[in-house]
Amino acid sequence: MKIWTERPSRTDVEAVVGRYFSLLRAGKIPEAEQLVDHSSVRHVLKSLWAGSVGAGDEADEAGCSLAADEGERDLSWLRELDLGGFHWGHTGSHVYVEIIYRAEIIEVSLGFWVKPTDAGWVVAGPSTLW
């Protein structure tokens, strides 16, 4: 996990988020988790699936759940996602990034925040925002 002795700049945070997303897209989940003070990657994958690939499913809730489980086993669909715009909160501590699937911004965004720890400053997250 990247630790800064001083509060990181927006550019630094955006670089970490970009690297995190690149690793996630490549299916390198453990490496992505190590870049940030991470929350549940399973929740992130399910939300990204539901907001992109699963959004077109006309299946019932049980069928969609089965498809989401398949999406966790075969991560090839992640390669169809891209980062969109970064949107910073007024305090500069929180940023959310839009996610693009097949040239369309989806309903799910990933949220990250900068937080102090005993060792220094880290990027935490992601949360999923609908």
Side-chain angles (χ1 to χ4, degrees):
M1 175 173 13
K2 175 70 176 163
I3 300 173
W4 292 269
T5 56
E6 302 282 328
R7 183 186 188 104
S9 69
R10 287 183 178 190
T11 303
D12 292 334
V13 173
E14 289 177 10
V16 168
V17 170
R19 178 76 179 131
Y20 169 85
F21 195 74
S22 293
L23 290 168
L24 198 69
R25 284 187 62 203
K28 297 180 178 181
I29 306 304
E31 292 92 335
E33 288 178 304
Q34 291 176 11
L35 272 182
V36 298
D37 184 5
H38 208 285
S39 57
S40 169
V41 74
R42 188 163 199 251
H43 172 75
V44 171
L45 293 174
K46 281 185 176 242
S47 295
L48 289 174
W49 171 272
S52 60
V53 180
D57 289 349
E58 298 295 328
D60 60 26
E61 204 167 301
C64 190
S65 177
L66 290 173
D69 289 341
E70 176 61 29
E72 288 183 65
R73 288 189 293 278
D74 175 9
L75 299 174
S76 62
W77 59 273
L78 285 168
R79 292 189 298 264
E80 295 188 64
L81 301 179
D82 286 306
L83 289 180
F86 285 79
H87 302 277
W88 284 88
H90 68 281
T91 65
S93 295
H94 296 81
V95 62
Y96 77 89
V97 62
E98 296 168 332
I99 306 298
I100 298 170
Y101 174 67
R102 296 184 177 170
E104 298 280 333
I105 296 173
I106 64 173
E107 292 182 12
V108 179
S109 297
L110 296 181
F112 295 85
W113 57 98
V114 177
K115 72 176 194 177
T117 66
D118 291 340
W121 293 84
V122 299
V123 175
S127 60
T128 52
L129 309 169
W130 288 83

